[in-house]
Amino acid sequence: MKPTAFRRPTASASRTSTARTLLAAGIVAGLALTTACTKSEDSSSTSDKSSSSQADSKQVVASPSTGSGPTCTIGRYGGKKLDLGSATVGFSQSEKEANPFRIAETASIKDEAKKRGVKLLTANAQSQFSKQISDVQDLIAKGADLLVIAPLNSDGWEPVLRAAAARHIPIVTVDRKINATACKDYVSFIGSDFTEQGKRAADQMIEATGGKGEIAILLGAAGNNVTTERTKGFEDRVKEKAPGLKVVFRQTGDFAREKGQSVTENLIQSKPGIKGIYAENDEMGLGAVNALKGAGKKPGDVKIVTIDGTRNAVQGIVDGWIYGVIESNPRFGPLAFSTLDTFTKGSAVSQDIVIQDTSYGKANASSDLGKAY
């Protein structure tokens, strides 16, 4: 039997306001989060990992404390309790699963649904925002009681929010935010502190370059909070700590390897003295490596710092082509489902669930390669 529908209260909830709030008291402390690591698109990658590496690579909340920051409950969102085990969950993936981040993310959602015995409906927007909107509407039409969405863009979600509200369907977003009101339009966002990622990438770039010289930024895709916040964090930290480091080139690589390569090829022609490249994801950074190889550069001639933590990027550190990588952990399955389970049982969950990310450099790239995805 289909679970009892939710009813939304008329009072509006406040917009989420803190960047680092955590799981609320209802979430069971010490939840065991399993990982779902998969092979990347390169044949050089391997999915073999030790059990200790798998345990170490799980998602954890950034600062384990309860009740800090805005939370959401059924009473505020509207509706009645339901059993997650008898519900249908719809998952909307945003991008083509050639990117190791997306491969690992989808695998993690599927693995956790299977582990819990939850019926899961999936869709992939293939990097087309209009398709993602129709995908989610289709998931709703097929009977999804709950939604997990990895948004391609942050804006433009009104059609989906209206359709979900009409059927009282709770929504959790992962890895990117939507510009809407938490605990009104959606329940929670689960993801990294992207501004902090940018700051940490800047620290690595400052270390790599000595804080002087001309550097470039390969921007992520436009229209989402990840690109905006990773850029801001990086540029603010550079201005604060290394005024002698000048950003002289900014161009989007759309989070794609081929685009990152072509942009870097243009960069090398227009700025032959470039000292460093900050790529806002690993795929663009690996594209930059291909461009540098094609131009006859040697490992380390241009310092590259990236964000994600894919197996190939961490191997790039081992090989000398990449200086450092800030992790952005894609294994959302356990945390997304535990959040939905807690919420649908009637307990509070945080509106912002910020995860803790590690980093890779010369000192730990070889030893921690098994933790990458």
Side-chain angles (χ1 to χ4, degrees):
M1 179 179 294
K2 190 177 181 64
T4 304
F6 280 65
R7 286 188 289 174
R8 185 183 305 279
T10 57
S12 63
S14 60
R15 182 179 299 274
T16 180
S17 60
T18 181
R20 200 176 271 276
T21 56
L22 311 166
L23 287 171
I27 293 183
V28 178
L31 177 68
L33 303 177
T34 59
T35 63
C37 305
T38 60
K39 186 178 292 184
S40 75
E41 61 186 2
D42 289 347
S43 59
S44 61
S45 295
T46 173
S47 60
D48 295 335
K49 290 182 172 66
S50 68
S51 59
S52 61
S53 291
Q54 291 176 355
D56 288 345
S57 60
K58 68 185 180 183
Q59 280 188 345
V60 295
V61 178
S63 302
S65 65
T66 58
S68 58
T71 61
C72 189
T73 63
I74 288 176
R76 292 180 59 200
Y77 192 84
K80 297 180 180 180
K81 298 178 184 179
L82 63 82
D83 178 11
L84 181 62
S86 63
T88 298
V89 176
F91 173 61
S92 170
Q93 178 58 272
S94 58
E95 297 177 5
K96 300 174 182 178
E97 289 171 8
N99 184 329
F101 183 98
R102 299 300 167 187
I103 295 172
E105 182 178 59
T106 298
S108 180
I109 296 290
K110 289 181 176 179
D111 288 350
E112 187 65 16
K114 182 177 180 181
K115 175 184 174 183
R116 290 173 175 264
V118 174
K119 181 179 180 181
L120 182 70
L121 305 175
T122 63
N124 190 304
Q126 301 293 317
S127 303
Q128 301 172 48
F129 186 61
S130 61
K131 184 178 185 304
Q132 186 167 38
I133 295 299
S134 62
D135 280 350
V136 179
Q137 291 172 327
D138 188 52
L139 291 172
I140 293 171
K142 288 179 178 178
D145 303 298
L146 305 159
L147 290 169
V148 178
I149 299 175
L152 183 63
N153 295 337
S154 295
D155 292 317
W157 284 94
E158 290 79 10
V160 162
L161 299 179
R162 287 194 297 269
R167 299 199 183 190
H168 315 288
I169 299 172
I171 297 172
V172 167
T173 71
V174 296
D175 84 58
R176 293 176 186 171
K177 288 186 175 182
I178 61 174
N179 290 328
T181 303
C183 206
K184 176 179 179 291
D185 300 313
Y186 66 97
V187 174
S188 298
F189 160 74
I190 306 172
S192 300
D193 184 334
F194 305 115
T195 301
E196 182 64 21
Q197 287 178 340
K199 290 179 179 179
R200 294 171 67 198
D203 289 339
Q204 289 196 343
M205 183 63 75
I206 293 167
E207 180 181 271
T209 60
K212 296 181 180 179
E214 295 184 340
I215 58 174
I217 300 177
L218 302 186
L219 301 167
N224 66 76
N225 68 301
V226 177
T227 297
T228 302
E229 293 171 24
R230 285 180 179 171
T231 303
K232 177 176 172 52
F234 183 87
E235 293 188 333
D236 286 352
R237 182 60 64 90
V238 167
K239 290 177 183 177
E240 174 193 353
K241 289 193 170 183
L245 204 58
K246 305 296 182 183
V247 178
V248 296
F249 181 97
R250 297 176 187 82
Q251 190 168 330
T252 183
D254 286 328
F255 288 132
R257 190 180 301 195
E258 289 184 2
K259 187 72 177 288
Q261 179 172 341
S262 65
V263 169
T264 303
E265 289 168 350
N266 295 333
L267 167 65
I268 295 168
Q269 294 294 321
S270 63
K271 301 287 183 182
I274 202 75
K275 194 170 182 180
I277 297 173
Y278 165 46
E280 293 186 340
N281 83 334
D282 285 354
E283 285 298 285
M284 293 189 296
L286 291 166
V289 169
N290 290 340
L292 294 173
K293 288 179 178 179
K297 300 288 186 180
K298 297 178 181 178
D301 283 351
V302 178
K303 308 300 182 184
I304 298 176
V305 175
T306 73
I307 298 177
D308 267 351
T310 65
R311 180 69 66 91
N312 292 314
V314 178
Q315 183 64 50
I317 299 174
V318 176
D319 297 338
W321 285 100
I322 294 176
Y323 184 83
V325 175
I326 306 300
E327 183 193 45
S328 194
N329 195 327
R331 304 171 181 97
F332 289 98
L335 197 49
F337 278 88
S338 68
T339 300
L340 289 173
D341 192 29
T342 299
F343 179 78
T344 55
K345 284 178 178 176
S347 296
V349 297
S350 289
Q351 294 177 16
D352 269 311
I353 301 169
V354 180
I355 62 173
Q356 177 178 299
D357 296 312
T358 187
S359 63
Y360 300 92
K362 187 180 295 185
N364 70 337
S366 294
S367 61
D368 289 353
L369 185 60
K371 299 176 186 177
Y373 54 90

